[in-house]
Amino acid sequence: MKTISTLAIAGGLWLSLAVAAATPVRYDGHTIVRTHLSTAEQVETMRHISPDVWSESVGLGVVDFRIPPAAWDTLVLSGIPFEILIDDVQPRIDAEQTRLAAGGAAGGAADGGDWYADFKDRDAIITRFATIAATYPELVEITTLGESIEGRPILGYRISAAPAGSPGVLFNSCQHAREWVSPMVTTFIAEELTSGYGDDPAITTLMDTVEFYIIPIVNPDGYEFSWTDDRLWRKNRRPNGDGTVGVDTNRNWDFGWGGGGSSGDTSDPTYRGTAPFSEPETRAMRDFYQSHPDIVASIDFHSYSQLVLFPWAFQEGGPGDDGQHDAIGGSMSSDIAAVHGMSYVAGPVFETLYQASGGSIDWTWGDQGVISYTIELRDTGAFGFLLPPEQIRPTAEENFPAILTLAGAVAQGAVFSFPAGLPTLVEAGVASSVSVDVQAITSGPLDPASARMFVSVDGDAFIETEMVRAGGSSFTGTLPALDCGQRVEFYFQIDSLKGVTYANPTDAPTTVYAADAVEFTLVYDDDFELDLGWAVENVDLSDGAWEIGVPAGDGDRGDPVADFDGSGACALTGNQAGNSDVDGGPTRLVSAAIDVSGLPDPQLGYARWFTNDDQDEDRLTVELSDDDGASWTEVESVGGGTGWTQVTFAVADFVTPTSTVRVRFSATDNPNNSVTEAAIDAVRFFAAECDEVPGDVDGDGDADFSDLLILISSWGKCPPDVACPADLNGDGTVDFIDLLEVLSSWTG
Ligand code: 0X9
Ligand code: ZN
């Protein structure tokens, strides 16, 4: 694998001079606050108090604003509830400037060789791409999409080994100048795709199939300006003719242009411009899409809030597709979480964030039919746009698998998703169903009648089975009833109307799914309808202790609206409608002592819910004790999630399965600076195994009539060297002793 050499120091020198020469805008005493707005009037009040919405996090009514010192008293007097995220922005900007001037920005030696150790200015990004292109000339093509209003080129890169005209995916960043982590992420993508080609099989296949287009800096004037003059600049650098400067390019696209969530006021950060596509930057992007009709999917990278957003933004409602946006968005969100445990919530812009008209993804989807996402990168507000440089690389790392998933969907042409998950353990003796959702991406509509599942039991040949259409793009397949200990393998296929066959897993039957048939022995099964002896212990907690009950909230602050298992009740923190969440803590929910000592390989299962907007500090931690609560061992600690998630762990992986095992769930918001809601349901201790029933001739877990039949049909002698299951005592004949064994262990 080729590597990319570190770049010259000359750029770093230039940067230090440029930073020193400018007189940047100062934000002394400007505070970033997170407000909780409950009325339209409060929203209007905040629009007057603050010149700059920073971002919204998940949940209606939670909005971050920059508050200049002169507006502070008005905010306090307004009575609008808020908490401080950053008490003074300027020292953070100063610290960043000092750090960057010391050499990080141009990718010099100060980075210790890691280009992603600190943010990079426009020159350094262009140079980095030039180096990537020079290192991989056969994979990278540089193009100029157009020029910015101040005449800077808007550069794009085609990264691919696929023939021209192959399906394309476009990633762009930096429509908004101050969102510095975004071009770092798209640069990282370019680097991973090129260096992984010929080295990583998955990347190689994608590069051979898909054309990647990367436009790292859509708004070059604004980006430059944010480095030299105003760290918090968002728009482009259009002189508006009235002394104000800048159009929000992400309000300037021609789809729903001029609607709610954009401003006609030239001084506003969301000023939409005089007309759709009035700006050369958005025109360049539009022309590029129009001249590349094979682009079928795109991501517009922004920061911050940790969201995977898709249309619509200009109006309420989903994109009106067959669920592709939802399915792939959900997969991307899981991919991201799998890398560093960060939660990026997926959903349409309007519902998830706010109304925003004239944005790029509404046009790329609504006008061009391109599957379109806006990914809001890290963080969730603790640092906002002034992200610590240590978070650059992890942010890029966690987004890379997500872009591979999107490209994979494009390459594959269809996306399979499993709304209820796929089983790895099934109950012996019972047929089980598997729900599958399939979406076409590139080769036109699918033929629902062709949906099929292939099933193999214990290594036998795969047998094709039909899947039943459960409506729309949903299908249900059935796994046969198995004997305990048997293993079933399975995979799925569907054809498009054009006759293209899609499989899942893609390379099935080389790779297949598998589940083992077991019997479940439940020793503890808690649906929280009765209190089975839980204790609540609070440390440093001011609000939001664990309670057991039917969820009372309406979900607007991230709390569950219903329990997990449908029984009604669950355990949850601060069970009240409205403003009650975990403040301080931890609050701990501790089980009674449970005897799992007699169970072979006992398992702990539960469903958890955890939402919070400060995932670094606030956790839901699950621990086990094998000494009646004297000492505890961590099972898992999560920083966020979406909805209810069911998990299972082997007790012996953490503690000794004794007769006094306890489990405890701890939720914390300490320091108290964010909205934190936790819930637990369906707590179980069980063994999943195949009991040896003495008279079980056919191995189905029972001594019953089917065993008698086998026994009778092979009554008499039992030839040597031939499997003879009915000879239970192994004495060479099937006789009364064997019959007695079946009858004495009869389970019916
Ligand atoms: O408001 C925006 O443009 C984006 N958020 S940000 O804080 N980065 O400015 C959200 C964009 C949502 N997508 C579209 N409206 N197309
Ligand atoms: Zn943005």
Side-chain angles (χ1 to χ4, degrees):
M1 183 175 59
K2 295 182 222 176
T3 50
I4 291 175
S5 57
T6 321
L7 298 166
I9 328 152
L13 202 62
W14 176 86
L15 174 96
S16 326
L17 293 175
V19 169
T23 25
V25 178
R26 296 190 62 84
Y27 291 93
D28 294 288
H30 287 235
T31 306
I32 308 304
V33 298
R34 174 157 294 173
T35 59
H36 302 272
L37 307 178
S38 45
T39 65
E41 200 189 341
Q42 290 183 334
V43 175
E44 201 44 39
T45 307
M46 285 311 300
R47 276 182 47 82
H48 291 293
I49 294 177
S50 166
D52 191 10
V53 180
W54 263 40
S55 191
E56 281 191 47
S57 79
V58 200
L60 268 173
V62 182
V63 194
D64 302 346
F65 293 95
R66 173 165 58 82
I67 307 294
W72 183 254
D73 290 348
T74 324
L75 172 66
V76 173
L77 288 171
S78 74
I80 292 171
F82 70 88
E83 65 235 13
I84 296 173
L85 291 176
I86 302 177
D87 61 1
D88 187 354
V89 186
Q90 190 58 43
R92 298 216 185 173
I93 296 177
D94 291 342
E96 187 183 68
Q97 291 288 308
T98 309
R99 192 187 75 225
L100 289 168
D111 291 342
D114 181 10
W115 197 81
Y116 298 89
D118 213 329
F119 297 104
K120 294 294 178 287
D121 62 11
R122 182 166 164 271
D123 275 11
I125 290 168
I126 292 175
T127 310
R128 188 70 170 184
F129 269 94
T131 311
I132 297 171
T135 314
Y136 303 99
E138 68 290 353
L139 297 178
V140 184
E141 225 173 81
I142 308 181
T143 46
T144 303
L145 277 69
E147 273 187 5
S148 66
I149 197 136
E150 290 177 347
R152 290 184 178 85
I154 299 165
L155 296 171
Y157 305 87
R158 177 192 183 273
I159 298 179
S160 183
S166 300
V169 192
L170 185 148
F171 307 123
N172 72 266
S173 40
C174 226
Q175 285 205 71
H176 292 146
R178 61 189 172 187
E179 298 164 10
W180 284 9
V181 73
S182 73
M184 302 301 289
V185 170
T186 45
T187 309
F188 185 85
I189 292 171
E191 203 144 331
E192 292 294 297
L193 288 175
T194 47
S195 67
Y197 185 67
D199 186 46
D200 177 304
I203 293 174
T204 307
T205 307
L206 285 178
M207 287 278 284
D208 283 336
T209 321
V210 173
E211 295 184 88
F212 293 89
Y213 297 99
I214 298 184
I215 297 101
I217 308 177
V218 173
N219 170 15
D221 302 345
Y223 191 58
E224 200 93 308
F225 193 72
S226 71
W227 276 77
T228 53
D229 289 74
D230 183 352
R231 175 64 182 88
L232 299 181
W233 191 255
R234 167 181 168 100
K235 300 187 282 185
N236 76 355
R237 292 297 297 161
R238 152 84 62 190
N240 290 323
D242 57 358
T244 70
V245 177
V247 169
D248 182 350
T249 62
N250 209 27
R251 299 294 183 277
N252 189 241
W253 298 63
D254 192 7
F255 202 91
W257 183 87
S262 74
S263 173
D265 183 338
T266 54
S267 63
D268 275 356
T270 53
Y271 175 51
R272 63 177 84 105
T274 52
F277 290 126
S278 60
E279 303 312 296
E281 295 87 357
T282 48
R283 280 201 301 275
M285 289 292 288
R286 172 198 66 189
D287 295 349
F288 192 76
Y289 273 107
Q290 286 176 340
S291 60
H292 293 79
D294 293 316
I295 295 175
V296 291
S298 74
I299 303 176
D300 175 28
F301 284 98
H302 288 252
S303 73
Y304 61 96
S305 284
Q306 296 180 197
L307 303 167
V308 177
L309 300 169
F310 48 84
W312 300 111
F314 82 109
Q315 65 172 17
E316 195 169 356
D321 59 19
D322 278 331
Q324 294 101 311
H325 279 93
D326 206 18
I328 308 174
S331 308
M332 290 201 288
S333 171
S334 323
D335 293 337
I336 292 170
V339 179
H340 295 298
M342 285 296 175
S343 149
Y344 285 48
V345 174
V349 181
F350 191 106
E351 280 92 334
T352 313
L353 194 60
Y354 43 56
Q355 187 182 16
S357 305
S360 64
I361 59 170
D362 281 1
W363 183 84
T364 52
W365 170 241
D367 198 279
Q368 298 288 297
V370 170
I371 309 260
S372 301
Y373 296 90
T374 296
I375 291 190
E376 295 276 359
L377 299 162
R378 289 196 196 185
D379 58 5
T380 54
F383 297 95
F385 303 117
L386 301 167
L387 194 68
E390 310 79 65
Q391 294 205 34
I392 298 170
R393 181 174 271 281
T395 304
E397 283 168 353
E398 69 200 4
N399 277 276
F400 188 66
I403 72 99
L404 292 184
T405 292
L406 180 61
V410 166
Q412 197 195 347
V415 186
F416 291 71
S417 56
F418 307 99
L422 283 174
T424 53
L425 293 178
V426 292
E427 190 173 351
V430 184
S432 47
S433 62
V434 181
S435 303
V436 185
D437 196 85
V438 199
Q439 303 293 341
I441 300 296
T442 48
S443 87
L446 300 171
D447 173 10
S450 71
R452 53 203 183 267
M453 178 166 78
F454 292 81
V455 176
S456 149
V457 176
D458 272 354
D460 289 350
F462 277 97
I463 293 168
E464 182 177 329
T465 65
E466 259 179 57
M467 285 199 281
V468 178
R469 192 176 187 188
S473 55
S474 304
F475 300 88
T476 307
T478 304
L479 295 173
L482 302 171
D483 291 343
C484 204
Q486 281 189 317
R487 160 168 279 229
V488 62
E489 295 180 320
F490 54 100
Y491 63 92
F492 307 93
Q493 280 186 357
I494 194 165
D495 302 329
S496 77
L497 289 174
K498 289 185 195 162
V500 181
T501 295
Y502 303 117
N504 183 277
T506 333
D507 60 348
T510 307
T511 310
V512 292
Y513 299 110
D516 292 307
V518 291
E519 268 141 30
F520 293 103
T521 315
L522 266 175
V523 292
Y524 181 88
D525 186 6
D526 196 343
D527 59 8
F528 290 97
E529 292 310 305
L530 297 171
D531 184 345
L532 300 183
W534 293 93
V536 175
E537 294 166 2
N538 301 320
V539 185
D540 263 348
L541 188 83
S542 51
D543 187 27
W546 284 103
E547 297 174 50
I548 292 174
V550 177
D554 54 8
D556 67 341
R557 289 172 56 88
D559 43 341
V561 291
D563 73 336
F564 167 77
D565 58 16
S567 69
C570 61
L572 67 175
T573 55
N575 189 20
Q576 293 166 36
N579 187 354
S580 173
D581 74 323
V582 178
D583 292 333
T587 174
R588 293 195 168 118
L589 178 70
V590 189
S591 78
I594 297 154
D595 182 358
V596 297
S597 58
L599 285 185
D601 195 15
Q603 311 283 313
L604 162 67
Y606 53 87
R608 62 164 145 79
W609 174 289
F610 191 58
T611 55
N612 85 100
D613 41 25
D614 181 7
Q615 300 174 37
D616 272 341
E617 280 176 338
D618 303 341
R619 315 294 292 181
L620 172 66
T621 303
V622 183
E623 294 156 297
L624 278 169
S625 168
D626 56 11
D627 51 11
D628 208 15
S631 64
W632 294 91
T633 303
E634 182 174 307
V635 174
E636 64 164 350
S637 174
V638 293
T642 36
W644 283 104
T645 307
Q646 200 175 16
V647 290
T648 303
F649 298 96
V651 173
D653 286 350
F654 305 96
V655 296
T656 308
T658 62
S659 58
T660 53
V661 162
R662 290 177 190 258
V663 57
R664 80 176 176 193
F665 303 93
S666 306
T668 172
D669 175 15
N670 203 347
N672 172 18
N673 58 356
S674 50
V675 181
T676 304
E677 307 269 6
I680 293 291
D681 201 6
V683 178
R684 295 186 180 126
F685 283 91
F686 60 94
E689 43 129 23
C690 295
D691 264 342
E692 292 299 321
V693 175
D696 181 13
V697 179
D698 59 8
D700 67 353
D702 280 313
D704 58 9
F705 201 69
S706 63
D707 303 303
L708 273 190
L709 282 180
I710 300 172
L711 195 125
I712 289 161
S713 68
S714 50
W715 192 264
K717 47 185 183 308
C718 215
D721 302 328
V722 170
C724 190
D727 179 15
L728 290 164
N729 65 348
D731 67 354
T733 47
V734 180
D735 54 17
F736 270 101
I737 307 174
D738 303 307
L739 177 62
L740 275 180
E741 180 145 358
V742 174
L743 295 177
S744 64
S745 55
W746 192 258
T747 55

